Amino acid sequence: MFHIFRKSFKILFYLICIIYSVSSVDGGIIPQQNKHIQKDFGSNGESRVGLFGSIDYIGRILGAILMSVLINKLDRRIFYSSSCLFKAINCLVQLFHTNYYLNISARLLTGIPQTLLTSYGTIWIDQFSKRKNRSMMLQILQFSAFMGIIIGYGMGIVSDFIMNHSSFKEFFGYRICFMTQGIL
């Protein structure tokens, strides 16, 4: 078994917690920015926002299938890093395009790496943590995902405030929130 030094282990654990939080931010952005997204998507905005928010879960199903096939065939560090990059790129699409179908496609694609990002932390804890610390670490990890949703909701509130006090009134804050999530 591979041994990770205590300090490195803590740093890696905190980084995984941060990635959990950041990858969950979109779960708070969409509910908070619902009205703005509806306006941006035009006619049938309400049903389009519903699909926009939920198509991510179809991507997660595809990601689970893909992950089960690839998890033991690829180097996990490369697989995890490329999943972060793939999610980031697809989060940035919302900033540059208002095309509904392009945004829906990008949202579907953000769900694919989400499965690995949210599953790998538990696998990592199981492999590398001491048995007596696992329960607490798993709780902290799950709490990190919950905090990401709250942070996303807060980002939506802050972006509304910024957009209402700027000259970019036609530019909706959810795009800024997705851009921030992609950069992080």
Side-chain angles (χ1 to χ4, degrees), residues 133-148:
N133 297 337
R134 287 182 187 159
S135 295
M136 182 57 76
M137 292 175 75
L138 288 171
Q139 289 175 358
I140 291 169
L141 198 62
Q142 294 304 316
F143 184 73
S144 298
F146 174 68
M147 287 305 298

Side-chain angles (χ1 to χ4, degrees), residues 62-80:
L62 297 172
I65 294 166
L66 188 64
M67 186 178 108
S68 67
V69 171
L70 296 177
I71 191 77
N72 290 323
K73 293 182 181 174
L74 298 174
D75 183 315
R76 290 186 183 173
R77 292 172 294 194
I78 294 171
F79 195 24
Y80 196 75

Side-chain angles (χ1 to χ4, degrees), residues 167-183:
S167 60
F168 298 109
K169 301 266 189 230
E170 73 283 346
F171 195 77
F172 296 117
Y174 80 93
R175 293 188 197 154
I176 298 294
C177 294
F178 277 116
M179 178 198 69
T180 304
Q181 181 185 14
I183 290 170

Side-chain angles (χ1 to χ4, degrees), residues 32-33 36 155-165 173-174:
Q32 202 286 325
Q33 292 287 306
H36 298 304
M155 285 171 57
I157 292 170
V158 169
S159 68
D160 276 349
F161 179 79
I162 291 170
M163 291 299 127
N164 288 335
H165 293 87
Y174 80 93

Side-chain angles (χ1 to χ4, degrees), residues 88-107:
I89 290 169
N90 283 295
C91 283
L92 293 173
V93 168
Q94 276 82 13
L95 179 67
F96 300 109
H97 295 283
T98 58
N99 181 298
Y100 173 71
Y101 299 104
L102 185 62
N103 281 314
I104 288 293
S105 300
R107 186 80 179 126

